[in-house]
Amino acid sequence: MKIATRAQRIEPFYVMEVAKAAQALAAQVAGSAEPMIFLNIGEPDFTAPPLVQQAAERAIREGRTQYTPALGIEPLRQALSDWYAQRFGVDVPARRIVITAGASAALQLVCLSLIDAGDEILMPDPSYPCNRHFVSAAEGRAVLLPTTADERFQLSADKVQAAWGDKTRGVLLASPSNPTGSSIAPQELRRIHEVVKAHDGLTIIDEIYLGLSHDDAYGQTALAIDDNIISINSFSKYFNMTGWRLGWAVVPEALVPVVERVAQNLFICASTIAQHAALACFAPESLAEYERRRAEFKARRDYFIPALEALGLPVPVVPDGAFYAWADCTQAAKKLGVEGSWDFAYAVMERAHLAITPGRDFGSHDTGRFVRFSTANSMAQLQEAIARLRQLLA
């Protein structure tokens, strides 16, 4: 069978390949003194709060399960508009908000609506691998620009300006970022956008971890800068609704009918049940619970990263958001007699029954010496993980 070229261009999602190996080993050690601990996948250990679950049940009982408009139900779009005003002090009209089947669908819709074959999109290296594959699926080309710890593993305006070429269409950023948990300083993001505007380009920013910011200096939406910035977001991370597959995009008003037309054909609509359930995310009781959980994520970060560094796994940029630790495993790998993050991750999995993610997924510039730990697990599990690493690296 002849496979399409676009499919051949998309590499495996190695974090999921590692996850499969970890799951297989987990089955073997399930009854042992050291069952598998999973710090490899970026999924909150919290589930949707009670009011959200109840809203889903109520929607099913009341038969509210038919197709919705492709842009999403109006009450949810308005609830998000209100949330932007209350949380970030930004006016984002509901008419510019498109409800999607997860942030993945939002990115796909935006890329298919705006990227032509051969267009180049600038992105930082390291960055979340699926984002560049959305560009590739739209027949564009993701151009990864190497970044350093001194740059917080983010692009700068100067770097964007220097890399801009005849085929460049725009930038795709993430703030906070996966895998580093670092954000772009608002003033630098403004400078980046000015460069992009000068070239009549696109500024697309993945803000799915914005709700989990831990530093007021960075926890601001890019939508405060310009109505022409396109923001991608999700109910998965801050709102703890990963498997519900619900997200949204905020797009310039002129782009709404274009995205709507593409969405009608590709998705019809996002899950109706999930949309009705998500309305309960904005109840005061739910928002209070989300803020309690955000504080818990910060407490986990504040425990885990110093503990990692004490074991010889330095984290060069302390994450200001999300729930990741991007750690240099060079010295730790030598202690285990292996080289590079891929072999280190498998050694830790096999010898300590601890699943982590090697840097291979996230780019090619220096990623071979980094591993990503997810701290979206309980404090007890994080403490046990550190105890096992301490014993392994002693």
Side-chain angles (χ1 to χ4, degrees):
M1 181 179 292
K2 183 179 183 297
I3 306 300
T5 303
R6 74 176 65 84
Q8 295 177 20
R9 285 198 302 264
I10 296 177
E11 301 172 15
F13 192 6
Y14 290 107
V15 64
M16 302 311 292
E17 297 298 312
V18 174
K20 285 193 292 187
Q23 288 286 358
L25 182 56
Q28 300 174 29
V29 303
S32 72
E34 287 192 348
M36 187 67 69
I37 295 175
F38 294 93
L39 302 185
N40 55 322
I41 296 180
E43 180 171 35
D45 58 325
F46 301 113
T47 59
L51 289 182
V52 177
Q53 297 179 37
Q54 293 163 18
E57 294 169 356
R58 190 162 55 251
I60 295 170
R61 284 197 310 270
E62 295 175 358
R64 286 180 286 156
T65 57
Q66 290 85 8
Y67 295 137
T68 75
L71 296 176
I73 60 174
E74 288 295 335
L76 185 56
R77 298 169 74 195
Q78 186 58 54
L80 282 165
S81 176
D82 295 341
W83 182 68
Y84 275 110
Q86 294 160 9
R87 177 71 184 268
F88 303 107
V90 176
D91 178 22
V92 180
R95 62 181 179 274
R96 291 178 50 210
I97 298 173
V98 180
I99 306 298
T100 61
S104 297
L107 267 169
Q108 183 180 11
L109 290 169
V110 167
C111 288
L112 290 175
S113 298
L114 294 171
I115 295 173
D116 279 321
D119 284 350
E120 294 181 348
I121 302 294
L122 306 180
M123 300 173 62
D125 185 345
S127 60
Y128 183 58
C130 296
N131 287 4
R132 64 179 183 265
H133 295 321
F134 287 117
V135 173
S136 180
E139 307 293 338
R141 176 173 172 260
V143 178
L144 269 63
L145 304 180
T147 63
T148 65
D150 289 343
E151 298 169 308
R152 300 179 54 76
F153 297 115
Q154 293 282 3
L155 296 187
S156 65
D158 291 344
K159 189 161 282 186
V160 170
Q161 178 64 58
W164 202 281
D166 292 340
K167 295 182 179 180
T168 306
R169 182 76 175 97
V171 297
L172 174 48
L173 313 169
S175 185
S177 166
N178 177 3
T180 65
S182 66
S183 299
I184 308 171
Q187 60 271 26
E188 189 62 30
L189 181 56
R190 188 178 293 274
R191 291 182 63 229
I192 291 171
H193 182 58
E194 289 301 320
V195 171
V196 174
K197 274 177 57 177
H199 291 283
D200 195 25
L202 304 169
T203 299
I204 306 169
I205 184 160
D206 172 348
E207 295 190 314
I208 70 173
Y209 295 100
L210 182 63
L212 293 174
S213 291
H214 306 311
D215 187 333
D216 290 342
Y218 296 103
Q220 303 169 40
T221 176
L223 296 169
I225 296 174
D226 190 335
D227 287 351
N228 286 316
I229 289 178
I230 296 168
S231 172
I232 306 298
N233 218 312
S234 172
F235 284 91
S236 290
K237 309 302 181 178
Y238 176 71
F239 294 106
N240 309 150
M241 295 176 68
T242 51
W244 302 68
R245 307 316 302 134
L246 194 65
W248 74 90
V250 180
V251 301
E253 200 160 340
L255 187 59
V256 172
V258 180
V259 173
E260 180 182 22
R261 186 169 67 246
V262 178
Q264 286 169 336
N265 283 276
L266 293 188
F267 298 101
I268 299 181
C269 64
S271 163
T272 302
I273 297 165
Q275 290 189 63
H276 286 291
L279 285 169
C281 291
F282 304 99
E285 179 182 329
S286 296
L287 289 173
E289 177 61 15
Y290 287 131
E291 285 301 287
R292 185 195 69 77
R293 294 176 180 184
R294 181 165 71 104
E296 175 63 21
F297 281 126
K298 181 178 183 296
R300 295 173 184 179
R301 178 201 70 173
D302 292 346
Y303 160 75
F304 193 73
I305 289 179
L308 273 186
E309 295 192 317
L311 297 177
L313 286 158
V315 178
V317 179
V318 175
D320 57 85
F323 36 60
Y324 300 116
W326 184 241
D328 187 336
C329 68
T330 305
Q331 295 305 315
K334 287 181 181 178
K335 284 189 175 183
L336 300 186
V338 299
E339 186 174 344
S341 64
W342 184 264
D343 290 343
F344 177 75
Y346 271 87
V348 168
M349 182 195 309
E350 292 161 1
R351 302 182 204 179
H353 301 166
L354 175 62
I356 60 177
T357 301
R360 181 176 181 177
D361 256 331
F362 302 102
S364 58
H365 174 69
D366 217 21
T367 53
R369 66 186 177 98
F370 285 94
V371 288
R372 189 196 72 179
F373 292 86
S374 169
T375 55
N377 211 325
S378 69
M379 185 68 83
Q381 290 277 280
L382 295 176
Q383 291 168 341
E384 174 63 18
I386 290 296
R388 292 187 193 180
L389 285 170
R390 185 179 295 116
Q391 183 175 11
L392 182 66
L393 296 170

